[in-house]
Amino acid sequence: MPDPKALARSGFRDGERAAHVIDGLPGIPSELVERLALAADPDLALEQVASLVADLGAERVWEAVADPATLERLVLVMGTSQALGEFIVRHPEALSDLCSDAAVGALVGIAPDVDALRVAYRRELVSIAGRDLDGATSFVESSGELADLAMATLAAALRIASDGDPEASACRLAVIAMGKTGGRELNYCSDVDVIFVHEGDAQVATRLASTMMRICSEHTAAGAIWEVDANLRPEGRDGPLVRTLASHVNYYERWATAWEFQALLKARYAAGDAELAAEYLAAIQPMVWDASAKPDFVDAARAMRQRVIQNIPANQRDRELKLGVGGLRDVEFAVQLLQLVHGRGDESLRSPTTLIALAELTKRGYVGRRDGAALEDAYEFLRTLEHRIQLFRLRRTHLMPDDAESLRRLGRSMGYRHNPADDLDKEWRAHRRVVRRLHEKLFYRPLLEAVAAIPTEGLRLTAEAARQRLEALGFSDPKRALADIQALTSGVSRRASIQRSLLPAVLDWLAESPMPDAGLQAFRRVSESLGDSPWYLRHLRDEGTAAERLAQTLGSSRYVAELLMRSPDSVALLGDDDELVPHDVDRLDLEMRQAVERSTSVRGAARAIRRLRRRELTRISAADTLGRLDIRQVGEALSDISAATLTAALEASIASFERDHGDLPTRFAIVLMGRLGGYEVGYSSDADVMFVHQPVDGAGDVEAAEAATKVATSLRAMLAAPSADPPLEVDADLRPDGRNGPLVRSLDAYRTYYAQWSAVWEAQALLRARPAIGDPGLCAAFTELIDPLRWPEYGIPDGDVREIRRIKARVDSERLPRGADPATHFKLGRGGLADLEWTVQLLQMQHAHAVPGLRTTRTVDAIGAAAESLITAADAESLIEAWRFVSRIRNAGFLVRGKPVASLDDLARERAAVASLMGYAESEPLMDDYRRITRHARQVVERLFY
């Protein structure tokens, strides 16, 4: 018996088991044992050889492996593929196929029936695998042979279907290969994509096509071949299985989307009527090469790519060879996009085979030679790895295994012997990194070469080709984009050199953003402002996260872009996760107070306060644009910065008054109102406030009132004055008597007014009043004054309820702007913010005396409290969902446009960008969700409010 330890050292996992098996195989050639030890899985190969000997007899097996080539391929196949090894054991006649030089498809072409076809197909597969595994054929050749075998199988299946149908002559039927079959780059185990074209009897053609598909996909005792997938046909699964040529042409001329033309790039005749197929291809292919000129080309391509990535289960994304980041689909997608962009005018780029097309793109100068070679190596490695994974059980999978045994076998099958699993993993990840950079390599660097006059060997992308590429990638003004690129990269300075290294990645990120043109222009302006600052370009170059975030924000938000252009040094915030966390109100108060103390004038204090506010707005809006904050966090952060700004401005105004006039003769406080009082500030919100004062002992009422008015007026002017920094409009119109009343009232005057003249709507406005700034005692006294008004002890009388409803009805009918759509207006529309807030506020005024949780200025918290006893959980969920959704979309509209947005109708041009900020791939689902959510909320409002 062989030495178990020696067998284990030579490669067998279980030396004892291997020794027993070998001992039971009398006369086994020593060269076979030696070769088995080198197999991908020596133990598996030995077990399958033993099974073959048991069925066929040792003498016949040893005779077969006397030929060195047969021995080599038998061990390779059995050690790599359990499925093919088991097939050879069941069908030992396949031993002769291991070294067959017969043309691919010869066996399937003569198969007389369905089961014979399935066996013949597997025998051909054994032959292809043998040549592939011993290196007799390259990856390109073996994948081409697999595609040829698939088309021969389709032809044989169609012949069998036709022979069994007496009406077959009533139609002409052509089978068009698509996908990897059409590209002559098929996997060992894959669906075979097809499209059917017919002339004549449609019922007969459908029957023949269906029978052909069933022959290939049915499981019987003889096994199965593969699924035939016809879902790439017009209208997909919902469309007829077969169509006439005229019907195909009509569909593609009128209805087809860009991705369908991208799929047709690989269309090729497979089986059936060759003349009809030629007519089909002649009619369809010209349309393919006009696809990139369509206005939705880039959007459709991006949406398809996003859907693919989103559909990968989270626990599989790091193991996906095909669909994951840095996977095969990335290479194929990039090559196809380049083909469609440049193939319009260059017919040499129209090959359906990925590697041939990549070679032509490189040869013609659309891709640099080094880049093309790197992509070719990565693609061949990933596809070969995919083949080895699929060969084991002949199952359609693109996942890297995660168990040690499979990784060891897979690594050995790829030629790694010392540490097969670890070495394979390192090589795989290295190739993924190459592919991950493919957009930079394939799309953007040649653009720089075209406009910056940098000589690069083998690269001949013209300015016109660069313009076409930018247009296809989503830049609506490619001429302006080229000018921006040239301005950033021209010259021999260090700055230009760093920009040339940065821009390929930046352009990639901008092209993925919803507003690439605006983003590129903003990037140029920011770069020109900071280009001579040594930290800026170094920061972007060395901190990849900062550059990516900069591109993403500039290409998504005009508001953030404007803030960064006013203060380019804020770019530094983007490189640090901690810097994208909004500062709390205590820290803001401290920073602003220190800035005010350092200032010697009210004007200097104003500049310092507004500069700090601008920095914090940049932090909040950038974090929001990058998806790092939810709507309540944004509202609280914006409310905190407004409150801190008002606090600092009040201190500066009082200090200025006291420098000029002596001690302030009154105590002063600011009551935060509206969305500011409810911690619900949006980007377009003013600061709604009321000013209150109370004379100090010994001060006259007139003197105190005049002093308080000067402080309030100074504060408002300080924050609204023209400046490079965004203004904060301080709106005091919610005060008693509105604009007609005094700007500041004493606490006693408020008490008198509320006791004698206050209307129910003013008590309603006080629901969100938050006395929070200025003299703490005065704030507490004002809170004590207003609490009984807004939360009356026994609720509000029925007359007040009717009055609130009457006012709301009047608001609905009179305040909505002329021509505005009530279904889409954020504030005043059906299910909009006014509907939601008035409903909640009515519940507060009716029930806050009995439900303590309703005594809050926050809308969502009040809805939650109402859900405990007053409304159903479902109604509360509808109201909260609508409030959050409408608030988010209004904020997103402001971020995109850089100015207030009242309704969805204001966003006709920017809906795609708003949808992107909201997490949608397209704008239509966003519109549908908005209508659905607000419609449901309106139904709740009508029940609860009216």
Side-chain angles (χ1 to χ4, degrees):
M1 187 172 74
D3 179 2
K5 293 182 179 178
L7 290 173
R9 287 194 299 270
S10 68
F12 290 91
R13 290 191 314 280
D14 188 341
E16 290 284 351
R17 171 68 179 163
H20 282 293
V21 173
I22 292 171
D23 195 46
L25 297 174
I28 182 171
S30 59
E31 58 270 25
L32 176 57
V33 177
E34 292 171 3
R35 190 61 194 84
L36 284 169
L38 298 175
D41 188 335
D43 302 81
L44 172 64
L46 176 58
E47 293 286 349
Q48 299 208 91
V49 167
S51 297
L52 184 61
V53 169
D55 286 0
L56 193 61
E59 186 176 343
R60 290 183 61 185
V61 174
W62 307 152
E63 181 182 346
V65 300
D67 172 38
T70 302
L71 182 149
E72 175 78 8
R73 291 184 182 176
L74 177 67
V75 171
L76 285 168
V77 170
M78 286 188 159
T80 304
S81 175
Q82 180 179 349
L84 288 181
E86 291 172 350
F87 175 79
I88 294 172
V89 171
R90 292 194 306 272
H91 297 275
E93 65 272 19
L95 285 168
S96 63
D97 300 317
L98 285 167
C99 292
S100 171
D101 293 324
V104 171
L107 287 175
V108 299
I110 61 173
D113 56 38
V114 174
D115 281 347
L117 175 61
R118 292 175 180 140
V119 172
Y121 172 80
R122 286 295 174 96
R123 290 184 62 182
E124 299 274 12
L125 212 55
V126 167
S127 178
I128 293 172
R131 292 192 298 277
D132 176 17
L133 292 170
D134 81 345
T137 53
S138 65
F139 156 74
V140 173
E141 291 168 330
S142 60
S143 59
E145 288 183 358
L146 288 167
D148 291 344
L149 175 58
M151 291 193 289
T153 306
L154 291 172
L158 182 58
R159 174 181 53 75
I160 293 171
S162 299
D163 290 347
D165 192 320
E167 296 181 299
S169 61
C171 73
R172 300 165 64 200
L173 180 65
V175 185
I176 306 298
M178 302 287 287
K180 283 186 165 58
T181 310
R184 228 179 149 260
E185 50 190 2
L186 195 61
N187 296 330
Y188 276 97
C189 193
S190 176
D191 290 351
V192 171
D193 296 307
V194 300
I195 287 176
F196 296 106
V197 189
H198 84 94
E199 296 295 343
D201 193 312
Q203 285 187 326
V204 175
T206 301
R207 192 163 63 239
L208 290 175
S210 299
T211 303
M212 186 202 82
M213 294 173 70
R214 187 174 63 253
I215 288 170
C216 294
S217 60
E218 269 186 345
H219 289 262
T220 69
I225 303 175
W226 21 246
E227 294 287 334
V228 178
D229 188 340
N231 289 335
L232 289 177
R233 66 186 184 268
E235 299 180 85
R237 296 179 182 177
D238 298 326
L241 183 61
V242 301
R243 284 179 183 259
T244 64
L245 175 59
S247 177
H248 275 285
V249 171
N250 182 60
Y251 175 84
Y252 287 119
E253 285 180 340
R254 299 181 62 185
W255 309 112
T257 58
W259 74 262
E260 290 178 282
F261 290 111
Q262 186 173 348
L264 284 167
L265 189 152
K266 292 185 177 294
R268 188 160 65 105
Y269 167 67
D273 192 301
E275 184 178 345
L276 180 58
E279 292 173 10
Y280 170 87
L281 294 172
I284 297 300
Q285 285 182 336
M287 302 182 198
V288 173
W289 303 108
D290 291 333
S292 64
K294 293 180 179 293
D296 64 342
F297 172 71
V298 174
D299 290 340
R302 283 181 184 156
M304 180 174 66
R305 187 177 179 217
Q306 288 174 346
R307 283 194 296 270
V308 166
I309 294 173
Q310 290 169 357
N311 286 336
I312 304 173
N315 63 343
Q316 295 181 2
R317 286 178 184 168
D318 286 340
R319 297 165 52 216
E320 252 287 353
L321 284 175
K322 179 180 179 181
L323 304 178
V325 175
L328 291 164
R329 183 58 62 84
D330 275 351
V331 181
E332 293 159 354
F333 179 88
V335 170
Q336 290 165 21
L337 200 57
L338 285 173
Q339 285 182 275
L340 291 168
V341 171
H342 300 298
R344 278 187 286 171
D346 191 339
E347 295 185 6
S348 68
L349 305 179
R350 298 184 178 183
S351 171
T353 306
T354 300
L355 287 179
I356 294 175
L358 178 56
E360 285 298 324
L361 286 163
T362 305
K363 177 181 177 182
R364 299 282 175 176
Y366 299 101
V367 177
R369 289 178 182 174
R370 183 177 300 174
D371 299 339
L375 259 293
E376 180 180 354
D377 288 346
Y379 188 69
E380 281 203 28
F381 176 88
L382 294 173
R383 284 296 308 277
T384 302
L385 183 57
E386 180 185 44
H387 279 192
R388 299 292 186 267
I389 292 171
Q390 292 182 348
L391 263 174
F392 182 58
R393 296 188 186 278
L394 285 183
R395 290 181 181 172
R396 183 173 177 264
T397 179
H398 313 286
L399 287 179
M400 278 287 283
D402 54 4
D403 62 286
E405 183 178 331
S406 296
L407 287 171
R408 177 180 183 270
R409 181 191 66 252
L410 192 57
R412 286 170 65 92
S413 77
M414 294 288 289
Y416 302 102
R417 296 292 173 180
H418 183 58
N419 292 305
D422 291 343
D423 291 346
L424 173 64
D425 184 70
K426 290 176 183 177
E427 188 76 5
W428 171 46
R429 295 187 185 281
H431 283 294
R432 284 182 69 189
R433 286 193 294 271
V434 170
V435 174
R436 187 175 293 182
R437 296 194 300 269
L438 68 92
H439 278 83
E440 173 184 345
K441 294 290 185 181
L442 291 184
F443 289 106
Y444 303 101
R445 195 172 298 282
L447 291 172
L448 307 193
E449 313 289 1
V451 300
I454 308 164
T456 300
E457 184 183 1
L459 193 60
R460 299 185 300 278
L461 191 67
T462 65
E464 175 59 21
R467 187 196 66 76
Q468 290 177 355
R469 186 174 296 191
L470 282 167
E471 187 176 55
L473 289 166
F475 287 85
S476 58
D477 188 353
K479 185 176 180 181
R480 170 68 183 270
L482 286 171
D484 289 332
I485 294 170
Q486 189 167 32
L488 287 163
T489 59
S490 60
V492 295
S493 66
R494 182 174 178 273
R495 179 177 69 179
S497 176
I498 296 177
Q499 285 285 18
R500 285 194 290 270
S501 68
L502 276 174
L503 263 176
V506 171
L507 289 170
D508 180 13
W509 295 319
L510 285 173
E512 293 290 333
S513 73
M515 299 185 297
D517 294 84
L520 179 57
Q521 292 163 27
F523 180 77
R524 176 182 173 180
R525 290 176 61 183
V526 170
S527 295
E528 288 175 344
S529 299
L530 286 173
D532 293 327
S533 302
W535 67 268
Y536 169 66
L537 288 176
R538 185 175 64 248
H539 185 64
L540 295 187
R541 181 193 63 196
D542 298 339
E543 297 289 340
T545 300
E548 182 174 3
R549 288 172 176 169
L550 177 61
Q552 187 177 342
T553 52
L554 293 179
S556 302
S557 170
R558 289 189 175 89
Y559 179 65
V560 178
E562 187 63 31
L563 288 173
L564 287 172
M565 285 186 283
R566 291 179 177 181
S567 178
D569 58 328
S570 296
V571 169
L573 299 174
L574 300 175
D576 187 342
D577 286 350
D578 292 339
E579 289 291 348
L580 290 172
V581 176
H583 290 174
D584 60 53
V585 70
D586 292 337
R587 179 172 176 177
L588 294 170
D589 281 340
L590 176 61
E591 290 176 345
M592 288 195 172
R593 185 178 300 112
Q594 291 173 342
V596 169
E597 290 172 354
R598 290 192 296 268
S599 301
T600 58
S601 67
V602 68
R603 182 175 297 178
R607 283 197 301 267
I609 293 168
R610 291 177 64 171
R611 184 169 59 249
L612 289 169
R613 176 173 178 266
R614 179 196 61 211
R615 184 205 63 190
E616 198 60 24
L617 288 174
T618 305
R619 186 193 319 279
I620 296 166
S621 57
D624 190 8
T625 301
L626 294 168
R628 301 173 68 88
L629 301 175
D630 64 30
I631 185 61
R632 293 197 71 178
Q633 289 172 317
V634 171
E636 291 189 8
L638 291 174
S639 299
D640 284 348
I641 186 58
S642 293
T645 300
L646 290 168
T647 299
L650 176 59
E651 291 186 5
S653 295
I654 291 175
S656 175
F657 177 93
E658 292 183 338
R659 279 195 298 268
D660 295 338
H661 306 288
D663 290 345
L664 186 70
T666 190
R667 295 182 295 155
F668 195 97
I670 301 176
V671 182
L672 308 180
M673 302 289 289
R675 300 183 75 82
L676 178 55
Y679 294 94
E680 297 162 357
V681 169
Y683 293 107
S684 57
S685 301
D686 292 341
D688 290 314
V689 303
M690 292 195 302
F691 298 112
V692 57
H693 79 99
Q694 188 65 15
V696 299
D697 292 342
D701 290 346
V702 174
E703 176 194 12
E706 289 179 349
T709 301
K710 286 182 179 180
V711 168
T713 302
S714 171
L715 179 150
R716 297 178 76 190
M718 179 189 307
L719 298 180
S723 167
D725 297 314
L728 177 63
E729 297 291 340
V730 180
D731 187 339
D733 289 353
L734 289 176
R735 65 187 185 268
D737 295 321
R739 295 180 182 179
N740 297 320
L743 180 62
V744 187
R745 286 178 184 257
S746 69
L747 180 64
D748 292 339
Y750 274 106
R751 184 177 289 110
T752 300
Y753 178 86
Y754 286 136
Q756 297 183 17
W757 296 295
S758 176
V760 65
W761 71 264
E762 292 177 293
Q764 182 182 352
L766 290 171
L767 287 168
R768 294 203 285 187
R770 180 161 57 98
I773 295 172
D775 186 277
L778 187 55
C779 288
F782 193 87
T783 301
E784 184 178 354
L785 167 65
I786 65 174
D787 279 355
L789 295 170
R790 53 183 173 176
W791 303 321
E793 184 175 0
Y794 300 106
I796 57 174
D798 291 343
D800 284 350
V801 173
R802 287 193 296 271
E803 176 65 8
I804 290 174
R805 289 171 175 161
R806 185 193 68 78
I807 296 172
K808 176 66 167 63
R810 184 176 175 184
V811 167
D812 287 347
S813 62
E814 297 180 5
R815 294 277 301 278
L816 191 70
R818 180 175 304 213
D821 184 352
T824 60
H825 198 279
F826 299 142
K827 182 176 181 180
L828 301 174
R830 293 189 289 269
L833 294 172
D835 265 1
L836 306 171
E837 291 166 358
W838 279 65
T839 299
V840 174
Q841 289 160 12
L842 179 58
L843 289 171
Q844 288 179 284
M845 298 179 76
Q846 289 176 306
H847 303 288
H849 68 283
V851 182
L854 289 173
R855 299 169 202 165
T856 176
T857 63
R858 300 172 187 253
T859 301
V860 171
D861 289 355
I863 297 173
E868 294 179 5
S869 58
L870 302 174
I871 64 177
T872 67
D875 284 352
E877 184 178 349
S878 291
L879 294 176
I880 290 172
E881 182 183 26
W883 185 88
R884 286 176 171 163
F885 197 86
V886 177
S887 298
R888 280 182 64 210
I889 200 170
R890 185 162 74 163
N891 272 358
F894 187 92
L895 287 172
V896 169
R897 296 189 75 189
K899 56 185 179 181
V901 177
S903 77
L904 283 177
D905 297 334
D906 293 343
L907 296 170
R909 294 183 179 180
E910 295 95 351
R911 281 180 187 169
V914 171
S916 177
L917 281 186
M918 296 279 288
Y920 290 80
E922 300 172 354
S923 60
E924 280 307 310
L926 170 69
M927 300 287 291
D928 293 342
D929 280 356
Y930 183 89
R931 294 187 180 97
R932 173 183 57 80
I933 290 169
T934 54
R935 183 175 65 251
H936 290 171
R938 176 66 180 192
Q939 291 168 355
V940 175
V941 167
E942 289 175 348
R943 283 201 308 275
L944 299 181
F945 187 83
Y946 291 109

